[in-house]
């Protein structure tokens, strides 16, 4: 089934406000709370880690409930429409704290936005797998999500530059502007989704939780893809979390934070058509493999840079931004293909569960990144608000670059001999039709 550009755009636009909200939570919120509240880096990292870990519980629940919602209620749309006002409310309070905000305040509203976001992201991702079962068309569907998500990311991260707050620890005006952006575009996305079809049949097991555990416990293409995706996501999350610190303290270029982030995500957005065409030509896994190797060849230089080598970092930003475009939609497209693998091997169709586990993995990766990076910075004595020694700045630079390469290599090794390509996928489609 080929989808029109209008349908792809209406479906994908929801990623714009969701990306704007969650990139802000990942990149700006920890820095802002560290700057205006009495909370330490370790406390902030621990709270966000705790919230993310709790969110890994809600993802499978929402996925299972979404799959079991009656079809005549438009099972995916219903959950998204319920989530929209909840995301708006939690965004307002989380993004606009007072200096007196406590750890409990941060924990409550972080939990709130994660849970509300799960209620939108998991059904949306499952919905994408249901819109078409064509191997290449699925790249266009996930590519639409990635493109609008990148546009939302670009808009959110360019606001500090527009407001002149790129080098400030007090990002209150920035966060208020992002709050308005998220709320307005969430409302618009709800209107756009009305015309996107959402009437798809599914087949569920009698014991869904037991069967879900078997998906992870037993060796399978799904477990292989999920574990490698986790490693690669951790690799991407660590430098993303530390980007503001690295640019400000190691490169001593706080004025370039906004332009560098903008350049990074522009390169990611521009690369989406390239990676889609490459995946069509050589296969999805091989395209992803190329992006991982290229990313590592750029990140290897990050620990050796300093104030006089900003131009080298600009090259790194361009190269790694380009590879990020692949990370944002090709693995998700591969996960959608595994819905058909599931149908062919078990007789079940449960995209809500598959993308719930996918979402859990994504959130766990960012939680682990913050939970690893911030305590390491504390251990080496790094102070985000003070003067740091050469040793402390060196520690920041190495933590920024080295773990990324290590986790990407783990992902690459884990995906060797991945069995699903266009030919085997076509066989799965035929087998699934026969089985069902």
């Amino acid at each position: 089934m080929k989808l029109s550009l209008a349908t792809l755009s209406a479906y994908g636009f929801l990623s714009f406000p969701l990306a704007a909200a969650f990139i802000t939570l990942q990149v700006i919120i920890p820095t802002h709370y560290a700057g205006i509240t009495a909370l330490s880096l370790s406390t902030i990292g621990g709270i966000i880690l705790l919230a993310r870990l709790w969110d890994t519980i809600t993802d499978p629940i929402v996925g299972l409930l979404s799959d079991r919602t009656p079809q005549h209620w438009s099972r995916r749309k219903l959950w998204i429409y319920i989530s929209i006002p909840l995301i708006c409310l939690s965004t307002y309070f989380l993004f606009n704290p007072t200096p007196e905000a406590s750890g409990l305040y941060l924990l409550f509203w972080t939990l709130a936005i994660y849970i509300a976001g799960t209620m939108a992201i998991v059904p949306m991702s499952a919905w994408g797998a249901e819109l078409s079962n064509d191997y290449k068309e699925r790249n266009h569907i996930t590519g639409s999500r990635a493109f609008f998500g990148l546009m939302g990311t670009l808009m959110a991260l360019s606001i500090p530059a527009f407001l002149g707050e790129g080098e400030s620890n007090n990002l209150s005006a920035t966060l208020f502007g992002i709050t308005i952006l998220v709320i307005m575009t969430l409302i618009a996305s709800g209107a756009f989704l009305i015309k996107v079809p959402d009437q798809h049949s599914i087949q569920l097991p009698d014991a869904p939780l037991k069967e879900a555990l078997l998906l992870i416990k037993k060796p399978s293409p799904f477990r292989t893809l999920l574990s490698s995706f986790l490693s690669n996501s951790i690799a991407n999350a660590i430098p993303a979390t530390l980007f503001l610190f690295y640019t400000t303290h190691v490169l001593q270029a706080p004025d370039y934070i906004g332009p560098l982030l903008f350049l990074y995500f522009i390169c990611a957005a521009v690369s989406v058509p390239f990676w889609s065409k490459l995946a069509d030509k050589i296969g999805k896994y091989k395209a992803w493999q190329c992006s991982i190797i290229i990313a590592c060849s750029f990140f290897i230089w990050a620990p050796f840079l300093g104030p006089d080598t900003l131009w080298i970092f600009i090259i790194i930003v361009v190269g790694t931004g380009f590879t990020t475009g692949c990370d944002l939609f090709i693995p998700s497209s591969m996960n959608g293909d595994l819905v058909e693998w599931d149908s062919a091997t078990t007789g079940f169709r449960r995209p809500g569960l598959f993308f719930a586990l996918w979402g859990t993995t994504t959130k766990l990766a960012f939680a682990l990144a913050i939970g690893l990076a911030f305590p390491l910075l504390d251990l080496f004595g790094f102070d985000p608000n003070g003067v740091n020694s050469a040793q402390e700045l060196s520690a920041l630079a190495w933590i920024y670059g080295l773990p990324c390469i290590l986790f990407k290599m783990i992902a690459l090794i884990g995906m060797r001999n991945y069995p699903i390509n266009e030919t085997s996928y076509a066989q799965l489609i035929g087998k699934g039709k026969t089985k069902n």
Side-chain angles (χ1 to χ4, degrees):
M1 177 181 174
K2 299 292 183 180
L3 303 176
S4 68
L5 180 60
T7 299
L8 285 171
S9 300
Y11 165 77
F13 184 75
L14 178 61
S15 292
F16 185 102
L18 294 176
F22 285 102
I23 196 65
T24 302
L25 175 55
Q26 177 194 341
V27 175
I28 300 179
I29 288 295
T31 303
H32 183 59
Y33 274 75
I36 74 161
T37 73
L39 300 174
S40 69
L41 286 174
S42 291
T43 300
I44 294 169
I47 288 172
I48 295 177
L49 174 61
L50 179 60
R52 277 294 199 186
L53 291 175
W54 174 254
D55 205 29
T56 61
I57 298 174
T58 61
D59 270 51
I61 294 174
V62 170
L64 289 170
L65 292 176
S66 173
D67 278 343
R68 290 185 172 274
T69 300
Q71 183 173 326
H72 64 271
W73 287 1
S74 296
R75 62 171 62 92
R76 311 305 180 192
K77 286 183 186 179
L78 176 65
W79 282 90
I80 291 170
Y81 285 139
I82 292 173
S83 75
I84 287 175
L86 299 178
I87 297 172
C88 291
L89 182 67
S90 52
T91 296
Y92 178 81
F93 283 101
L94 179 62
F95 288 13
N96 299 276
T98 65
E100 294 77 27
S102 65
L104 185 60
Y105 179 96
L106 175 60
L107 176 62
F108 179 85
W109 289 112
T110 302
L111 282 170
I113 197 170
Y114 280 154
I115 294 171
T118 294
M119 294 169 64
I121 294 170
V122 170
M124 181 194 188
S125 299
W127 192 3
E130 295 169 325
L131 289 175
S132 175
N133 66 355
D134 183 81
Y135 182 81
K136 295 179 179 178
E137 183 69 6
R138 192 165 276 137
N139 287 337
H140 301 155
I141 295 168
T142 57
S144 175
R145 286 205 309 261
F147 177 79
F148 282 106
L150 287 165
M151 292 300 101
T153 297
L154 282 168
M155 184 62 70
L157 294 181
S158 62
I159 287 177
F162 293 150
L163 297 179
E165 288 198 328
E167 59 182 291
S168 173
N169 284 330
N170 189 339
L171 298 165
S172 299
T174 289
L175 288 168
F176 183 75
I178 295 174
T179 300
I180 300 302
L181 173 71
V182 170
I183 291 174
M184 292 180 64
T185 52
L186 270 173
I187 294 171
S189 68
F192 296 154
L193 287 173
I194 291 174
K195 296 296 184 179
V196 181
D198 182 21
Q199 296 291 329
H200 309 280
S201 62
I202 57 175
Q203 294 85 37
L204 301 175
D206 294 330
L209 291 177
K210 179 182 178 180
E211 294 292 334
L213 291 174
L214 287 176
L215 277 174
I216 301 174
K217 183 179 179 180
K218 295 173 60 177
S220 68
F222 178 74
R223 192 175 78 171
T224 296
L225 178 62
L226 197 67
S227 59
S228 290
F229 179 69
L230 173 63
S231 295
N232 190 67
S233 297
I234 295 172
N236 292 335
I238 291 176
T241 301
L242 299 180
F243 179 84
L244 295 181
F245 291 156
Y246 181 86
T247 306
T248 300
H249 297 277
V250 175
L251 300 179
Q252 297 181 19
D255 292 342
Y256 287 86
I257 288 174
L260 287 171
L261 286 171
F262 195 82
L263 176 63
Y264 177 84
F265 287 107
I266 280 289
C267 291
V270 168
S271 76
V272 169
F274 168 82
W275 291 114
S276 181
K277 290 181 180 179
L278 184 64
D280 288 348
K281 185 175 182 179
I282 68 174
K284 298 176 185 180
Y285 162 60
K286 289 183 179 179
W288 190 29
Q289 182 183 48
C290 289
S291 76
I292 290 174
I293 294 171
I294 294 171
C296 290
S297 70
F298 282 101
F299 263 113
I300 197 171
W301 303 105
F304 305 103
L305 303 186
D308 298 327
T309 54
L310 178 62
W311 65 274
I312 298 178
F313 188 67
I314 292 174
I315 297 174
I316 294 174
V317 166
V318 171
T320 56
F322 193 84
T323 61
T324 294
C326 181
D327 286 335
L328 290 176
F329 77 101
I330 291 297
S332 182
S333 179
M334 294 168 69
N335 190 44
D337 296 339
L338 293 182
V339 172
E340 307 304 333
W341 163 82
D342 188 38
S343 176
T345 56
T346 69
F348 304 136
R349 288 189 64 84
R350 39 189 175 169
L353 174 62
F354 269 56
F355 282 95
L357 296 174
W358 194 257
T360 295
T361 302
T362 304
K363 293 169 184 177
L364 181 61
F366 285 110
L368 291 173
I370 293 175
L372 173 67
F374 277 26
L376 278 176
L377 289 179
D378 263 351
L379 178 65
F380 283 98
F382 175 76
D383 182 358
N385 300 314
V387 178
N388 293 282
S389 67
Q391 180 181 358
E392 290 158 353
L393 293 177
S394 179
L396 170 59
W398 280 98
I399 295 170
Y400 179 84
L402 182 60
C404 174
I405 297 172
L406 294 177
F407 280 107
K408 281 186 175 291
M409 287 295 100
I410 292 172
L412 195 62
I413 293 170
M415 281 293 290
R416 66 188 185 279
N417 301 320
Y418 183 72
I420 308 298
N421 54 32
E422 187 172 5
T423 301
S424 61
Y425 179 79
Q427 295 171 349
L428 288 172
I429 291 291
K431 183 178 178 182
K433 288 179 179 179
T434 301
K435 196 177 189 74
N436 293 307

